[in-house]
Amino acid sequence: MSTSEVGQKLDYSPVSWREYFDQMEDVSVGPADSRDVYRIYKAGSEGPLLVLLHGGGHSALSWAVFTTAITSRVTCRVLAMDLRGHGATEVHQSDDFSTQTMSSDIANVIRACYGAAPPPIVLIGHGVGGAIAVHTSSSMLLPTMVGLVAIDVVEGSAMEAHHSIQNFLKGRPKSFKSMDHAIEWSVKSGQIRNLESARVSVVGQIIRCEVEETDTLEQASPVTDVVVEHNEEFYDQSYVDDKEDAASESVYKWRIDLSKSEKYWDGWFRGTSNLFLACNLPKLLLLAGIDRLDRDLTIGQMQGKFMMQVLPPCGHAVQEDRPERVAEAVAAFLLRHKFAEAIKETRSPDSLTQ
């Protein structure tokens, strides 16, 4: 939040995806009688295809501001998808969050969109999406994949955070009076530290429902990220719906119940550091803090096996908190490996970070 915003009333109203993406599609996968439908957002028409995988509990809209930032720096295409159980994606086995199933989802959506010969793909994932990106790469499910970017996904710190995640989920509001309140809570709690991004991305996390339905409303078991912010708590009851005062109104609830996916947490992250290091493609690791590194990645980084950048102070939602910095780092990676061409006035890769 900029200093110019201090002292004035901030606008927490939601913003449409159209401000950031060129188009939205619902992609059908599978046989006609049991199709799964995946929500995707696209931008750009030339260059490599950046496939963006969001973190647990978020949606493809968490990449909105980043998409504008990266497409203004290099010539590229973007495809951001809502993972199963998230956003507007609807699948039949909505409680299956195994790495194999989720990796197959990525490959199936790409095939449905681009056929057997998609453009060169750079797979970019945040948190759980980063772990799924690593597994997808390791399984060699995308024949035209040329690069891998993992954002704030480290096996060591992830495995240590399981208990704190459940505590965080128990403490956050279960519902909100309005979408504006949900956006305001997300910013003031520190979950998303960039108001512009929160206004477009929280829409993908929250769903409107009638008050009388809320007790029985259950969404698919979801995925959760395993790095939780501990330094800020903002559970002001004025943001939470009061059913007695809202007997005939709507409330806004989380689209997914993050806690129910716990049995999959270990499978997502165990072994990902070595899988990442073994990936025989150019790769970039972006971190919210140097303390996130585990032993395997520290050794690999010292051996020059991948590019790494530690971003300035931000929360776990790195590409939302610091979209320009993440776009700068990704642009440098794309340019250095000649995956994409710079749009004029973009600095050379050597002037950007290693």
Side-chain angles (χ1 to χ4, degrees), residues 12 122-123 154 166 290 318 348:
Y12 294 105
V122 177
L123 198 52
V154 173
Q166 288 288 17
I290 194 68
V318 182
S348 70

Side-chain angles (χ1 to χ4, degrees), residues 176-177 208-215 240-251:
F176 301 92
K177 296 177 180 177
R208 176 178 178 269
C209 52
E210 297 306 314
V211 170
E212 55 266 29
E213 296 175 2
T214 57
D215 291 336
V240 184
D241 175 70
D242 182 344
K243 289 181 182 173
E244 291 182 7
D245 294 339
S248 60
E249 298 176 11
S250 299
V251 294

Side-chain angles (χ1 to χ4, degrees), residues 283-329:
K283 44 195 179 285
L284 169 66
L285 177 64
L286 295 178
L287 296 177
I290 194 68
D291 59 316
R292 305 277 213 256
L293 272 185
D294 59 23
R295 180 177 178 275
D296 291 333
L297 289 177
T298 300
I299 294 172
Q301 203 273 329
M302 292 171 66
Q303 294 172 339
K305 292 186 176 181
F306 59 92
M307 290 173 61
M308 185 183 81
Q309 182 178 345
V310 180
L311 295 165
C314 58
H316 176 49
V318 182
Q319 78 279 14
E320 296 205 57
D321 293 352
R322 297 280 186 164
E324 296 290 335
R325 291 300 296 269
V326 173
E328 250 182 35

